[in-house]
Amino acid sequence: MTVPLRPPTLTRQPSKALLIGLVVSSLLAVVVLVVLLLSGGPVGFGLSMGLALAPLPLLLAAVLSLDRLEPEPKLHLAFCFAWGAGVAIVLGIGLTIAGQALFAKAGYGAQVVSTVGTVFLAPVVEEALKGAALLLLLRRRREIDGLTDGIIYASMAGLGFAAVENVGYYLLSFTQGGVGATIQLFVIRGLIDPLGHPIYTSMIGVAVAYALTRRGPARYAVIPLGYLAAVLLHGLWNGSATTGSLSWIGLAYLVIMGALVFLIMVTVRERRHLVATMGVHLPAYQQTGLVTPPDIAMLSSLPGRRLARKWARGKGLGKEMSDYQQAATELTMLHLRAEREGMDMDTFAVERNALLGVMANSHRW
């Protein structure tokens, strides 16, 4: 089979809308942090900021480790993180306060207003705002090829939100109870339950990704169900925390960990299925000379892919092997997307040839 190869690149034109969203969200996050600095002072803010950022590299690494098979565009990932840290935080605070004000105006006491805000309003408002990042990516639907993509984007929005929110909570704790109280809160929020927000919002991410990767109009009905699951998980944790009961907190924690296990199972199953699918679509390209039987065996096995990257690094071909594996993965996903969406042949050929161009430029073994 002879194919005209396009320039070898996987880079796509950045979206101006996403760039604007990234800048606006980042500026809002900076504004929130400056307000916290001015209100809490440099000592409390410095401690709070340090504690909020301490687990973040590990959490980001854990989320991005799910993205190794077919990495998402860095702009999209950065947008989701900034959206959670900026727009979702600012609007979340504003809308929750406005909702509490309505309950206070209706004559409810301060304790009831506080509980309503924490247990009901915050989960409803915050999950809608964090999940909005996924809905904004619907226009870039080609970047969401599976449920794992939805989990990754949602987790990034959740991590951004949690990072800035934690600064505020730690600073408040420092103001009211000093360093000891702040460290105690860090143990709960930063060590015991650091993945709360990513897990909640991932319910929406799974639902949005499911709607985008299935057929039929009824698939969009899954999105509100995902939002409801996110709100219930978030409300369960907030509600258990307000009771101060270790039993309720333990129960809520087990439920949330159960949701985490579900998300891990989804990603593992989907990754294995995608890798196995390569053995179905890639043999058709053996005539190009870009795919050989050993290549197919390597690409169709997660351990085989890891060993190939290790071998290639030893030969000075690490980048070439990574590019080749990514292009082959995206080629397989292109076939799956074409089957799912009924892509016209011209569009399919253009994208296919671009990926084959990358494979041709990278295959040096």
Side-chain angles (χ1 to χ4, degrees):
M1 180 171 68
T2 303
V3 293
L5 300 180
R6 292 172 59 84
T9 176
L10 291 177
T11 304
R12 301 188 178 107
Q13 189 69 22
S15 166
K16 292 182 180 179
L18 284 182
L19 285 172
I20 294 172
L22 174 60
V23 171
V24 171
S25 299
S26 299
L27 288 175
L28 286 175
V30 171
V31 169
V32 172
L33 293 174
V34 169
V35 170
L36 291 174
L37 170 62
L38 296 176
S39 63
V43 176
F45 177 81
L47 175 63
S48 301
M49 190 72 172
L51 292 177
L53 294 179
L56 192 56
L58 182 61
L59 298 176
L60 287 171
V63 171
L64 295 178
S65 68
L66 304 175
D67 198 30
R68 289 179 299 178
L69 195 59
E70 189 260 328
E72 302 306 311
K74 292 181 175 60
L75 173 62
H76 293 63
L77 297 172
F79 164 76
C80 287
F81 185 88
W83 177 273
V87 173
I89 282 285
V90 171
L91 292 181
I93 293 173
L95 293 175
T96 301
I97 291 176
Q100 288 179 305
L102 292 177
F103 278 90
K105 188 176 181 180
Y108 292 97
Q111 183 62 41
V112 173
V113 170
S114 176
T115 301
V116 167
T118 301
V119 180
F120 298 100
L121 292 179
V124 169
V125 171
E126 292 173 5
E127 294 310 320
L129 291 169
K130 288 183 292 176
L134 275 297
L135 298 179
L136 291 172
L137 288 176
L138 286 177
R139 293 185 61 187
R140 308 285 291 184
R141 61 174 57 202
R142 63 178 295 169
E143 301 299 348
I144 300 181
D145 293 300
L147 304 184
T148 301
D149 293 348
I151 293 172
I152 291 167
Y153 286 129
S155 295
M156 293 299 291
L159 286 176
F161 187 94
V164 176
E165 183 187 55
N166 282 343
V167 175
Y169 274 116
Y170 296 153
L171 187 57
L172 178 63
S173 183
F174 177 82
T175 302
Q176 295 178 346
V179 175
T182 307
I183 298 299
Q184 185 176 9
L185 182 61
F186 167 72
V187 171
I188 296 174
R189 297 184 66 88
L191 299 181
I192 296 178
D193 187 42
L195 288 173
H197 280 291
I199 291 172
Y200 311 149
T201 313
S202 286
M203 298 296 109
I204 303 174
V206 167
V208 170
Y210 181 90
L212 288 177
T213 56
R214 299 300 187 276
R215 294 182 177 180
R219 68 188 189 275
Y220 288 105
V222 177
I223 296 178
L225 294 178
Y227 170 65
L228 178 61
V231 170
L232 290 176
L233 287 174
H234 195 160
L236 177 63
W237 177 256
N238 284 8
S240 65
T242 59
T243 66
S245 168
L246 291 178
S247 298
W248 277 106
I249 293 175
L251 176 61
Y253 190 77
L254 286 176
V255 173
I256 293 171
M257 288 301 101
L260 176 60
V261 170
F262 163 74
L263 294 173
I264 293 173
M265 290 174 62
V266 167
T267 59
V268 170
R269 181 179 182 276
E270 189 170 69
R271 180 181 294 183
R272 289 176 176 173
H273 177 264
L274 175 60
V275 169
T277 305
M278 292 183 186
V280 175
H281 293 287
L282 293 183
Y285 295 95
Q286 291 185 70
Q287 298 177 44
T288 66
L290 302 178
V291 182
T292 65
D295 290 329
I296 295 173
M298 173 269 290
L299 291 166
S300 302
S301 165
L302 289 173
R305 293 166 72 103
R306 286 193 295 269
L307 289 174
R309 290 195 298 272
K310 182 178 179 180
W311 171 84
R313 286 194 294 269
K315 300 291 184 179
L317 297 172
K319 183 180 185 304
E320 287 79 2
M321 179 61 75
S322 294
D323 288 346
Y324 180 81
Q325 290 185 352
Q326 182 183 347
T329 302
E330 292 200 17
L331 180 59
T332 302
M333 298 180 81
L334 175 64
H335 277 274
L336 295 175
R337 192 165 71 247
E339 293 173 358
R340 183 173 67 241
E341 300 175 3
M343 184 182 301
D344 67 87
M345 293 303 297
D346 290 340
T347 301
F348 176 84
V350 167
E351 296 193 26
R352 177 202 63 192
N353 292 343
L355 293 169
L356 289 173
V358 175
M359 294 170 69
N361 189 61
S362 305
H363 198 285
R364 301 181 184 177
W365 50 89

